[in-house]
Amino acid sequence: MIKDVRSYIHTVGNRLSKAFSMEAFGTEDQLEFWELSAEHLSRKENPSFSDLVNWMDLLYRAPVHFVYKLQDEKLILDRRHVLTKNILRDNKDENEPHKQTPQQKEFIRDFEYQLQNLEKKMTMDEVFKEHGITSHSIGQCEHIPLFSKDGKQWGIYCAGPYTKSPEQITPKLSIVGRLLANWLISLDEEESNPQKEYEQKIQSVVSDLGSGKLNSEGIAQIILRYVVHGRKVGSGCIVEFTKNGHKLLASLGMKEKVANYFTAAGSEKLYEDNDGKVKATEHGEQFLQHWGKKVDVEYFKGEHHSGFILVEKPEDESRLDIPGLLHEIGFSLSNLFDYRFKNHFFSNRLMDSYYKMLRAIEESREKTRHHTPRMIAFVQRFGMLFGLEDEEMEIITKTAKLHDIGYVGAVSIEPGKTIGGELSHPIIGANLIEQLSIERDVLEGIKTHHEWVNGNGSPGGLKSESIPWTGKIIGLFEYVVDFIETHSNDDSKTDEQWIELLSKSLMERADIEFDMVLIPTAIQLLQALGWEECVRLGVEE
């Protein structure tokens, strides 16, 4: 029995180095590479992806390591790991990073910008079946094909940009590929899916919160149907008093022209809350005449909201006598609306807390210091120019505020996650707040703001018609804001040239990444603001 494990690993590493003619390498790094592979082989547990990256980086010294998995003749971006220490290295000492000059800082910002555009999907090509170098948004990267034990291609491992493995090890990359494939396939089987792993982790956190999405309109509709059918009459409605008058929550058997009284009345109220009683106004009397029915009215009042039930009187009073039941139903409705109010208040407070946590993450990096406030400012101006209604403006503003909330969940699950480096944050963000009182369009916008209209986005690979309007708008301005954050301190072009370049980039991505319908208004907004104002947007919250 070998007592000294480190000695054992060193021995195995030496044997591997001899088997692969490591003497010709003449470097300690490459010996360390095989020693580390032996260490991973000696463990019962599979190495994590970060372990594999650190192992492979002994060869590449690359800023980015990423894996594509083959599915339905498409290569899907499955994992990505950024090693910021490798973005800049001193030529004299490759193991130590440069002291950053202003030009190098600009290079890092530009690199991070390009990294966001790393292809989420690629068409499988013959070139990926063999080791080689291919072009990506971040530059030329070396790839190693990965095959399962039955000889079928599973995916590719990529490292780059502008790095390559040592010449002496190139003939042995098939060996490296087999090791990588074995570990990555096992890791994939353990996790099932990296996104599912995060979903399960975040679900374990939020599942105990219960569901706050109480559908008050749906419940009101069920109650109304019971009352109308129980009385064996044809029509009725449930109405809530609001600041501007009243809101029709549920209706049954009412002609459209009659129901429209509630939405078309504007400032003219149909009914008034008069010391705990409901009294029809002059306009309300006209409404009743138009309805042409004799009705019972049941008023209900809670701590924060009040309203009333209007239900047709039965012709035969003995069929179902429910005056007392109507009162009980009214009491339940008042409690329902009070709960909705309190839940809405709680949800807003909690989402504000999430937002502050997100801002702390953003402010920890110079590039993202003003990211979300800038997003909010842009979509608000776009919405006004595009002609969004007030309710739509409220929804798109809230979506912009919360679109990156998934980073809060990602950091709480796994320390070290950064803005732009976490692929699963749209799913995590949606899961984090779906239990709260929030509009469906906001939730879907958070989940889909990295989808592309051609289906090559993430996390769901949705195509144009399946991506909600909120996701399309947020995705477009995520790109705009990222472009501005990357080039805000770059004086190499005039303000007009930057606007022209950004506008051209949007046009090039029309009907590929972004919906063409949005592009003209977005470009009109950019040209109206000018580069200087675009940079200034959101700086002062």
Side-chain angles (χ1 to χ4, degrees):
M1 180 181 293
I2 299 176
K3 296 180 179 179
D4 188 346
V5 176
R6 294 184 62 85
S7 175
Y8 166 70
I9 291 171
H10 183 76
T11 300
V12 174
N14 271 305
R15 290 174 182 171
L16 284 169
S17 70
K18 290 177 181 178
F20 299 146
S21 302
M22 287 292 294
E23 298 89 348
F25 283 34
T27 66
E28 292 183 0
D29 281 344
Q30 284 132 357
L31 180 59
E32 183 183 354
F33 175 79
W34 293 113
E35 285 185 352
L36 189 54
S37 69
E39 183 177 348
H40 289 322
L41 285 167
S42 69
R43 294 175 181 170
K44 291 183 179 180
E45 303 83 8
N46 285 310
S48 66
F49 183 57
S50 59
D51 288 336
L52 293 181
V53 168
N54 290 327
W55 174 59
M56 290 296 290
D57 202 56
L58 293 173
L59 297 180
Y60 285 101
R61 299 285 192 252
V64 187
H65 294 247
F66 50 105
V67 174
Y68 283 94
K69 183 178 176 181
L70 183 59
Q71 294 178 351
D72 300 325
E73 298 304 315
K74 293 280 187 181
L75 288 169
I76 312 297
L77 184 61
D78 192 58
R79 302 172 188 270
R80 180 179 65 187
H81 194 93
V82 181
L83 295 172
T84 54
K85 65 181 182 180
N86 290 343
I87 295 178
L88 290 175
R89 286 188 177 278
D90 196 316
N91 292 331
K92 295 179 181 179
D93 185 355
E94 293 186 353
N95 292 315
E96 293 298 330
H98 278 294
K99 180 180 180 181
Q100 295 176 12
T101 65
Q103 292 80 8
Q104 290 167 338
K105 289 181 179 179
E106 179 62 27
F107 172 79
I108 292 176
R109 285 195 295 269
D110 188 62
F111 178 80
E112 290 176 335
Y113 170 71
Q114 294 297 330
L115 182 61
Q116 299 311 305
N117 296 318
L118 188 63
E119 301 88 342
K120 306 299 189 301
K121 286 184 181 180
M122 298 190 301
T123 301
M124 179 58 189
D125 192 275
E126 290 294 319
V127 70
F128 295 119
K129 293 184 178 180
E130 297 181 358
H131 161 253
I133 294 177
T134 46
S135 179
H136 297 268
S137 64
I138 58 175
Q140 299 287 326
C141 298
E142 187 165 291
H143 67 264
I144 301 173
L146 305 172
F147 296 91
S148 59
K149 292 180 180 179
D150 60 5
K152 294 181 180 179
Q153 186 158 9
W154 182 86
I156 58 173
Y157 185 99
C158 305
Y162 309 114
T163 61
K164 58 182 299 184
S165 57
E167 292 181 5
Q168 297 92 333
I169 203 174
T170 300
K172 308 299 180 185
L173 282 180
S174 61
I175 306 291
V176 176
R178 285 202 293 272
L179 291 172
L180 278 173
N182 180 58
W183 285 325
L184 285 169
I185 291 172
S186 297
L187 198 60
D188 186 69
E189 289 173 351
E190 285 179 1
E191 297 175 354
S192 177
N193 184 312
Q195 292 179 350
K196 280 187 179 179
E197 180 190 18
Y198 278 116
E199 287 185 64
Q200 291 167 357
K201 287 180 179 178
I202 197 66
Q203 188 62 27
S204 68
V205 176
V206 303
S207 60
D208 291 336
L209 297 177
S211 176
K213 298 184 296 184
L214 194 58
N215 185 347
S216 53
E217 285 81 2
I219 293 174
Q221 188 68 40
I222 291 173
I223 290 174
L224 179 64
R225 292 178 71 87
Y226 170 82
V227 173
V228 170
H229 292 163
R231 282 193 160 196
K232 295 185 179 180
V233 295
S235 58
C237 62
I238 297 178
V239 181
E240 178 185 11
F241 284 117
T242 65
K243 291 180 180 179
N244 299 323
H246 30 51
K247 177 182 178 182
L248 185 65
L249 291 179
S251 66
L252 183 65
M254 298 177 71
K255 293 181 180 179
E256 185 176 351
K257 288 184 178 179
V258 177
N260 284 343
Y261 263 85
F262 288 97
T263 55
S267 58
E268 295 193 65
K269 296 180 180 180
L270 302 180
Y271 285 83
E272 291 179 329
D273 179 353
N274 187 10
D275 293 331
K277 293 183 179 180
V278 177
K279 181 180 179 182
T281 63
E282 183 177 345
H283 199 70
E285 294 291 349
Q286 295 176 8
F287 157 72
L288 289 175
Q289 289 177 10
H290 198 147
W291 192 1
K293 305 289 183 181
K294 293 182 179 180
V295 298
D296 283 327
V297 182
E298 179 64 35
Y299 173 79
F300 56 85
K301 182 177 177 62
E303 185 179 352
H304 302 284
H305 289 272
S306 62
F308 55 94
I309 304 171
L310 287 178
V311 61
E312 193 179 328
K313 282 182 177 290
E315 293 182 3
D316 185 355
E317 295 288 348
S318 64
R319 281 188 176 179
L320 183 59
D321 182 23
I322 56 171
L325 184 57
L326 269 182
H327 178 74
E328 180 64 30
I329 289 172
F331 179 73
S332 296
L333 285 170
S334 66
N335 287 335
L336 170 67
F337 294 140
D338 281 343
Y339 171 82
R340 184 189 63 184
F341 173 84
K342 293 174 182 177
N343 183 49
H344 187 68
F345 177 78
F346 164 77
S347 296
N348 286 339
R349 289 291 297 269
L350 185 57
M351 285 186 285
D352 283 342
S353 296
Y354 286 155
Y355 175 69
K356 290 176 182 177
M357 289 191 282
L358 172 65
R359 293 293 295 127
I361 298 171
E362 292 179 337
E363 289 173 359
S364 67
R365 297 182 66 222
E366 184 60 35
K367 180 185 175 183
T368 58
R369 183 173 298 276
H370 308 294
H371 182 79
T372 297
R374 187 174 273 138
M375 283 287 295
I376 294 171
F378 263 110
V379 300
Q380 287 176 334
R381 285 158 177 78
F382 172 84
M384 289 187 286
L385 199 59
F386 197 70
L388 295 182
E389 300 291 338
D390 289 346
E391 185 177 350
E392 293 171 328
M393 285 290 292
E394 184 178 342
I395 286 173
I396 198 63
T397 299
K398 188 180 293 185
T399 309
K401 180 178 179 179
L402 300 174
H403 77 283
D404 275 343
I405 208 74
Y407 287 114
V408 173
V411 170
S412 68
I413 293 168
E414 201 167 304
K417 294 294 182 183
T418 58
I419 300 293
E422 215 312 296
L423 291 173
S424 299
H425 76 273
I427 290 178
I428 297 174
N431 285 345
L432 192 63
I433 63 174
E434 71 173 349
Q435 306 293 337
L436 304 179
S437 175
I438 191 169
E439 296 87 347
R440 190 71 191 175
D441 283 337
V442 176
L443 190 66
E444 291 301 315
I446 293 169
K447 187 184 294 185
T448 62
H449 73 275
H450 281 301
E451 300 287 358
W452 289 23
V453 295
N454 69 354
N456 285 341
S458 65
L462 303 180
K463 290 190 174 182
S464 180
E465 62 276 5
S466 300
I467 305 172
W469 65 277
T470 46
K472 290 179 179 179
I473 293 175
I474 297 301
L476 171 62
F477 283 97
E478 182 91 293
Y479 178 87
V480 169
V481 168
D482 199 45
F483 183 96
I484 292 167
E485 290 171 343
T486 301
H487 302 294
S488 59
N489 297 316
D490 188 343
D491 298 328
S492 63
K493 291 179 174 60
T494 65
D495 289 0
E496 292 76 15
Q497 287 173 329
W498 281 123
I499 292 295
E500 182 180 354
L501 179 59
L502 178 52
S503 300
K504 182 181 178 182
S505 297
L506 292 179
M507 284 300 299
E508 290 173 347
R509 288 166 171 77
D511 286 335
I512 297 173
E513 186 173 352
F514 310 125
D515 193 327
M516 182 65 201
V517 174
L518 306 176
I519 301 297
T521 306
I523 292 177
Q524 182 184 354
L525 174 62
L526 295 172
Q527 293 174 342
L529 290 171
W531 181 250
E532 186 176 340
E533 182 61 22
C534 284
V535 172
R536 191 161 45 236
L537 274 186
V539 172
E540 295 181 4
E541 296 186 53

